[in-house]
Amino acid sequence: MAKHFLSLADQSTQELRALLDLARMIKLNPSGYAQACKGQTLAMIFQKPSLRTRVSFQTGIYQLGGQGLYLGPTDIQLHRGETIADTAQVLSRFVDGIMARVFAHADVEGLAEHGSVPVINGLSDLLHPCQVLADLQTIEEKKGRLAGLKMAYVGDGNNMAHSLLYGGARMGMTVSISHPRGYAPDAEVTARATAIAAGTGGAVQVTEDPREGVADADVVYTDVWASMGQEDEHKERLARFEGFQVSADLMGCARPDAIFLHCLPAHRGEEVAAEVIDGPQSVVFDEAENRLHAQKAIMVRLMGR
Ligand code: CP
Ligand code: NVA
């Protein structure tokens, strides 16, 4: 097992499989893991807001017998110029693991490089691997398998698109990304996911046509059009993303038994129609719940005694 959880590209298919199996076991029998991280402290650095990540990690580490320490943007000294390297070294003298939500992906890498305790990426501008572990758990619960399924992501080629590319490719899925011109996923991420998929029987497709992207999909996924830190671009993006809303009409291009996922928070009437996210194909709250179980699995694997 990799020492950190920064990117799904760094996890082998076997490691991901083991994490998903552990997450399922923890969900079935939470009390069996009540001592798994007994007496351990997880530092939780948040440079951006959060509902799901904050509450699921804080609750999750407590349920494993440990404690979480919320460190918001102005609680520590990063915003006053203390370096990531010093922060990592100091925290490593006090705590047993660090979860961090940051802007620059290099910051979670820096925490891992300079600290001596496991580091979990709770979202960076590049990746959101904890979310996708929970997504894979959700898809497997609903569909009974991952390999061979088509997962269609519609929207911005952002951190969610990137982690879905890596996670889906690792598990042998076909991942299609449809995006407006100018909002493609990072070319290096797409190339790396394509190479991963070549070894797992999966595939990667990138298109500017959402109907083509969603055609015959088993899973349809979207995310906000303006991510945290892009609030200034919101108005411009509303215009640029026209035609990329997951509407009932677009869902109709997918398989009739397709499920709809969204990492949340959602903006009804923008990236998704209310009738889709609140409709019978939506599994978004099971998906949100699985953040807890999936992240407990990550903590047991990285910090467990
Ligand atoms: N999906 C997700 O990570 O939600 P939060 O930003 O609320 O943590
Ligand atoms: N792409 C979104 C994901 C939120 C969970 C963001 O970075 O804001």
Side-chain angles (χ1 to χ4, degrees), residues 46 48-56 101 122-123 128 130-131 160 221 223 228 262-265 287-288 291 295:
F46 280 93
K48 300 182 181 185
S50 169
L51 171 65
R52 280 141 291 269
T53 306
R54 176 177 177 177
V55 179
S56 55
R101 166 165 288 193
L123 180 147
H128 196 2
C130 292
Q131 178 68 52
M160 280 311 314
Y221 203 117
D223 182 18
M228 290 180 276
H262 189 310
C263 55
L264 305 179
E287 177 188 7
R291 294 293 302 280
Q295 290 159 192

Side-chain angles (χ1 to χ4, degrees), residues 245-280:
Q245 182 187 91
V246 179
S247 59
D249 180 53
L250 188 58
M251 275 304 282
C253 298
R255 287 174 53 95
D257 62 350
I259 53 175
F260 172 77
L261 277 78
H262 189 310
C263 55
L264 305 179
H267 293 99
R268 288 167 176 77
E270 294 184 18
E271 76 275 5
V272 62
E275 62 182 320
V276 172
I277 193 168
D278 298 321

Side-chain angles (χ1 to χ4, degrees), residues 3-137:
K3 187 180 171 206
H4 305 287
F5 191 80
L6 304 185
S7 165
L8 296 177
D10 300 338
Q11 312 284 321
S12 69
T13 300
Q14 289 77 5
E15 284 170 339
L16 267 187
R17 176 77 267 150
L19 274 175
L20 289 168
D21 290 345
L22 181 57
R24 193 180 66 237
M25 294 298 295
I26 291 172
K27 185 173 185 175
L28 280 171
N29 178 27
S31 57
Y33 298 85
Q35 311 272 309
C37 292
K38 188 172 160 51
Q40 304 216 358
T41 299
L42 178 74
M44 311 193 307
I45 297 176
F46 280 93
Q47 300 197 312
K48 300 182 181 185
S50 169
L51 171 65
R52 280 141 291 269
T53 306
R54 176 177 177 177
V55 179
S56 55
F57 268 108
Q58 182 102 43
T59 311
I61 186 67
Y62 176 72
Q63 291 177 2
L64 295 171
Q67 65 166 345
L69 199 55
Y70 173 77
L71 303 171
T74 57
D75 291 333
I76 54 178
Q77 303 278 15
L78 281 171
H79 73 295
R80 295 186 59 249
E82 186 159 29
T83 64
I84 282 283
D86 288 358
T87 304
Q89 291 182 79
V90 171
L91 278 177
S92 296
R93 303 291 177 106
F94 299 137
V95 305
D96 306 285
I98 301 170
M99 191 286 298
R101 166 165 288 193
V102 299
F103 288 88
H105 186 70
D107 284 354
V108 281
E109 292 181 332
L111 290 169
E113 183 186 343
H114 297 285
S116 56
V117 297
V119 176
I120 301 169
N121 179 2
L123 180 147
S124 66
D125 284 346
L126 187 67
L127 298 170
H128 196 2
C130 292
Q131 178 68 52
V132 172
L133 188 68
D135 298 338
L136 294 172
Q137 181 181 4

